[in-house]
Amino acid sequence: PALVRAVGESRADIIALPGAGPADLAELRAAGVMRERPFVSGNPQPGTLGWVTISRWRLVEVAGSGLTLGRWPELRVAGTGMILRNLHPAPPVTPDASSRWESALDAIPPAGERMRILAGDFNATLDNRAFRSVLDRGYRDAGDLAGGGLDWTWSAGRLRRLAIDHVLVPRGVAVERYQVFDLPGSDHNAVSVTLRLP
């Protein structure tokens, strides 16, 4: 219910849900979220391996663009000129997991001339070396640009709160608003970003 309220308050055109499962998608559909946003792309799975992107505009998957194991492909958002990637590399909690996490971040292409926007749970804070290397490829953190880069988005109790969920934009895309919504019952908060495209 808190996520549905956040979607309504932010009037979101596109919703990126890293870690989404079939039950999440069914609940959002039942709550009417898809009535104004009929286009859905992704692979909902139980646990945290799934992802879903819901949009007001048609989504077209860019063939062969999945970063690892065909996960998190790029999506062309029809009528906007935007390419969106909703991603969720696994947390770097063991040496093997750290290597896979860093490989996933290394595989993100430069922003380049395309209007490529990245959204999701990066499992990284702004001061992380691997995450900074993504920013060095021409991306800017929407929260940082709007003065909310340290607003926590993940929590494991009162003393462990980090900003690890991000929306990254290329130069030329303006961030008009950044807001974090509390989601009771989840270890993550929802991030809402209003962008002005060139």
Side-chain angles (χ1 to χ4, degrees):
L3 178 58
V4 172
R5 283 194 300 274
V7 167
E9 188 176 326
S10 65
R11 300 191 346 239
D13 293 313
I14 300 174
I15 305 164
L17 299 169
D24 302 315
L25 194 58
E27 287 182 26
L28 290 171
R29 193 179 303 280
V33 167
M34 276 78 148
R35 273 197 293 272
E36 294 180 5
R37 303 162 194 86
F39 301 102
V40 179
S41 180
N43 183 11
Q45 294 183 33
T48 60
L49 294 179
W51 73 95
V52 170
T53 304
I54 301 167
S55 174
R56 190 177 303 278
W57 302 290
R58 188 168 53 90
L59 300 169
V60 179
E61 187 173 313
V62 177
S65 65
L67 290 177
T68 55
L69 304 175
R71 289 186 188 156
W72 322 309
E74 292 187 331
L75 301 170
R76 293 184 192 281
V77 183
T80 67
M82 179 170 50
I83 295 175
L84 176 73
R85 179 171 264 157
N86 167 8
L87 70 168
H88 183 201
V93 293
T94 66
D96 283 348
S98 293
S99 177
R100 288 191 300 273
W101 167 79
E102 195 157 352
S103 294
L105 294 183
D106 286 345
I108 294 172
E113 298 302 314
R114 302 172 118 181
M115 193 162 41
R116 182 179 278 121
I117 294 172
L118 311 176
D121 175 1
F122 287 78
N123 280 303
T125 56
L126 284 171
D127 59 348
N128 180 275
R129 179 187 52 80
F131 186 71
R132 300 292 307 174
S133 76
V134 175
L135 297 178
D136 289 343
R137 284 174 240 157
Y139 297 99
R140 301 173 308 148
D141 183 82
D144 194 34
L145 291 172
L150 297 180
D151 293 352
W152 65 275
T153 64
W154 174 84
S155 144
R158 261 191 264 178
L159 299 178
R160 293 179 61 198
R161 293 181 173 179
L162 300 171
I164 62 173
D165 302 279
H166 304 276
V167 176
L168 305 185
V169 299
R171 299 189 192 293
V173 173
V175 178
E176 294 191 335
R177 190 179 70 170
Y178 177 86
Q179 189 172 5
V180 176
F181 290 90
D182 184 33
L183 296 183
S186 173
D187 59 341
H188 286 267
N189 289 330
V191 173
S192 171
V193 178
T194 301
L195 304 176
R196 188 174 71 249
L197 306 182

